[in-house]
Amino acid sequence: KGIYLSASETDDGAIIIKAVNTTKAAFSLALEDADAEAASIQTLRSAGTPEGEMPEPSSIEEATFSVKDGALLPAESFSVITI
């Protein structure tokens, strides 16, 4: 489907989720079993790919969100979520 996830836990118990959305549409990621109420997300969005070249990053965005609402992965992005 074009959504790739990798999760790990730090020594202090934080959950780190790395998410790649390769699709042209945003994707809502449910975080149902997380114990925390809030989480942070850092997202690298692409400016696109000039023909025959590598994609260039256009921005890095940081935000916090409610875990019960889940995380929104923008189209064609790489995100790191910390819970």
Side-chain angles (χ1 to χ4, degrees), residues 21-60:
N21 181 358
T22 64
T23 70
K24 297 198 180 295
F27 181 82
S28 181
L29 178 64
L31 302 170
E32 297 170 0
D33 293 332
D35 293 332
E37 291 185 20
S40 66
I41 186 169
Q42 297 175 321
T43 302
L44 175 64
R45 299 179 88 170
S46 174
T49 307
E51 193 167 322
E53 296 182 24
M54 296 294 293
E56 293 292 327
S58 62
S59 66
I60 298 175

Side-chain angles (χ1 to χ4, degrees), residues 6-83:
S6 173
S8 61
E9 187 173 358
T10 65
D11 290 338
D12 62 356
I15 297 170
I16 308 294
I17 301 171
K18 296 173 216 146
V20 178
N21 181 358
T22 64
T23 70
K24 297 198 180 295
F27 181 82
S28 181
L29 178 64
L31 302 170
E32 297 170 0
D33 293 332
D35 293 332
E37 291 185 20
S40 66
I41 186 169
Q42 297 175 321
T43 302
L44 175 64
R45 299 179 88 170
S46 174
T49 307
E51 193 167 322
E53 296 182 24
M54 296 294 293
E56 293 292 327
S58 62
S59 66
I60 298 175
E61 302 167 0
E62 295 186 40
T64 58
F65 64 95
S66 171
V67 170
K68 68 179 177 145
D69 294 335
L72 184 63
L73 306 177
E76 299 178 336
S77 66
F78 171 76
S79 299
V80 177
I81 301 165
T82 305
I83 304 172

